[in-house]
Amino acid sequence: MKRTLTALAFLAATTSLAQAEGVLNLYNWGNYTGPDLLAKFEAETGIKVTVTDYDSNDTALAKIEAGGHGFDLVVPSANYVPIFIEKSLTVELDLSKLPNHGNIAPEWMDVDWDAGRKHSIPWQWGSTGVAVNTSVYDGDINTSAIFLEVPDALKGKINVVPEMNDIVNLAIMYVGGEPCSEDTEVLKKARDVLLAAKPDWISMDYGATEKLSNNDWAASVNWNGSSMRARVNNGSVAYGYPKEGYPVFMDSAMLLRDARNVEEAYKFLDFIMVPENAAMISAFARYANGIAGSEAFMPEDMKDAPEVVTPEEHKAAGVFLPTCSPVAQQYMTAIWTELMK
């Protein structure tokens, strides 16, 4: 009897292990991971990927810090990568397990936030601007006044995405400050302009692609790839680059310290550095990526899309958001908390 129980216990344990093998839990921005990419990865490796969505860097950071999440990979923006590293929430990558690491484009390899790409793998990069339905509003869209001094035609029809660093820094740049400013006068002006504008917004929601496509909203602070997807669905949507300054970002995949499916995570990280696969990521979400050679596989309509290829006259206003100091982050959090009341 004892031998039978031991055998059953061993069988249960091995069954549990078998069920745990061949899975990967990815924690990523919503509507950002293409099903075709996941299907291809599963077909090639037998690994099943489960994706859980989030709507902001702060949401992802809080969830990971809380523990018990069960995720293996997370995809924060560049200015949050050092925070994940400093808090020991992620681990340095074993590059011997990533033979495609050399496919990272040189300009995205020795980056300020992760020199040599020892902790993160490029996912996609882009900008934060304003998407406007030009059949509703035909004025200048290359300004943050679209959401900070809302034109009459857009009042009650404009959304603001719930990403604190983007929104507060857009306001800071609009009032003449530098991103991550610690200048209390600048911060007060940014707070005041945001609070004054909020009554003219319809929502602070993540789902801009669908709602701009369907004319549920006439405008939104939005990311460039999402704006292109909306424009493909609705030809009246145009993407504006705020002349007062707008954020540029790169999101990158990182291996979590408490990941359970580590080998599966390495296989996925190496998989997304294959040029054809990186292009699949871009083809779905409509952002550029950081993998050399992927250009040959990119959709034709992305090669000259104004949302993807920044027009020359708007490039100078783009600013890669730094990792804010603790003081600046505290000020921005206070503004955001007041804005969310």
Side-chain angles (χ1 to χ4, degrees):
M1 181 68 173
K2 183 177 180 181
R3 186 178 301 152
T4 302
L5 290 173
T6 301
L8 287 172
F10 176 77
L11 179 61
T14 54
T15 301
S16 177
L17 286 172
Q19 289 174 342
E21 290 174 353
V23 298
L24 175 67
N25 296 310
L26 173 64
Y27 194 33
N28 201 357
W29 295 84
N31 202 8
Y32 205 43
T33 312
D36 290 347
L37 177 85
L38 300 183
K40 181 179 181 183
F41 178 70
E42 183 175 357
E44 291 186 7
T45 65
I47 298 168
K48 175 70 175 178
V49 182
T50 298
V51 182
T52 302
D53 296 344
Y54 54 84
D55 62 3
S56 74
N57 280 296
D58 288 299
T59 297
L61 180 61
K63 183 74 171 179
I64 299 302
E65 279 195 288
H69 46 75
F71 304 130
D72 303 305
L73 296 171
V74 66
V75 191
S77 300
N79 54 330
Y80 274 70
V81 167
I83 298 173
F84 274 86
I85 296 171
E86 182 181 341
K87 290 177 176 287
S88 296
L89 298 173
T90 56
V91 297
E92 184 170 338
L93 298 171
D94 181 351
L95 300 187
S96 70
K97 296 181 178 181
L98 299 170
N100 290 315
H101 194 262
N103 290 340
I104 297 175
E107 63 268 30
W108 297 114
M109 180 67 81
D110 286 315
V111 289
D112 293 341
W113 64 89
D114 185 17
R117 285 292 184 170
K118 296 177 182 178
H119 298 87
S120 66
I121 300 300
W123 185 263
Q124 293 181 105
W125 70 273
S127 62
T128 309
V130 288
V132 178
N133 188 316
T134 56
S135 70
V136 177
Y137 178 71
D138 61 1
D140 180 18
I141 66 170
N142 294 300
T143 173
S144 286
I146 290 292
F147 81 102
L148 293 175
E149 296 184 51
V150 184
D152 288 342
L154 298 176
K155 287 182 178 179
K157 303 174 184 177
I158 183 167
N159 175 69
V160 173
V161 292
E163 172 56 29
M164 178 182 74
N165 276 257
D166 283 352
I167 302 308
V168 177
N169 279 307
L170 277 165
I172 288 172
M173 288 186 280
Y174 184 72
V175 300
E178 297 294 324
C180 294
S181 175
E182 296 181 14
D183 185 324
T184 54
E185 287 302 312
V186 167
L187 289 160
K188 183 180 183 299
K189 290 178 182 177
R191 180 201 65 189
D192 290 348
V193 75
L194 283 165
L195 292 176
K198 185 181 177 182
D200 292 328
W201 304 343
I202 189 172
S203 56
M204 296 183 70
D205 192 358
Y206 184 80
T209 303
E210 295 78 10
K211 291 183 179 180
L212 286 168
S213 298
N214 298 335
N215 294 314
D216 294 330
W217 299 335
S220 180
V221 179
N222 199 29
W223 299 288
N224 63 309
S226 169
S227 299
M228 179 182 175
R229 293 169 76 182
R231 192 252 304 162
V232 169
N233 296 332
N234 182 343
S236 295
V237 175
Y239 182 69
Y241 295 87
K243 53 180 171 284
E244 302 86 5
Y246 62 87
V248 178
F249 65 85
M250 169 171 268
D251 299 327
S252 299
M254 303 184 77
L255 178 60
L256 292 165
R257 181 169 296 279
D258 50 2
R260 297 177 182 177
N261 304 294
V262 175
E263 294 308 312
E264 289 85 354
Y266 272 110
K267 288 180 181 178
F268 187 76
L269 292 174
D270 202 50
F271 176 83
I272 64 175
M273 289 186 287
V274 174
E276 185 174 358
N277 299 336
M280 290 181 72
I281 296 174
S282 293
F284 175 77
R286 300 296 190 154
Y287 299 87
N289 63 73
I291 303 302
S294 64
E295 302 83 4
F297 303 98
M298 295 285 274
E300 284 299 320
D301 64 351
M302 289 187 68
K303 293 180 180 179
D304 59 358
E307 302 92 348
V308 180
V309 182
T310 307
E312 199 64 39
E313 64 269 27
H314 301 310
K315 285 183 178 179
V319 179
F320 225 106
L321 291 185
T323 300
C324 296
S325 70
V327 171
Q329 194 73 11
Q330 185 176 4
Y331 281 136
M332 289 200 301
T333 300
I335 292 172
W336 192 250
T337 299
E338 193 168 353
L339 187 65
M340 297 298 285
K341 287 180 180 177

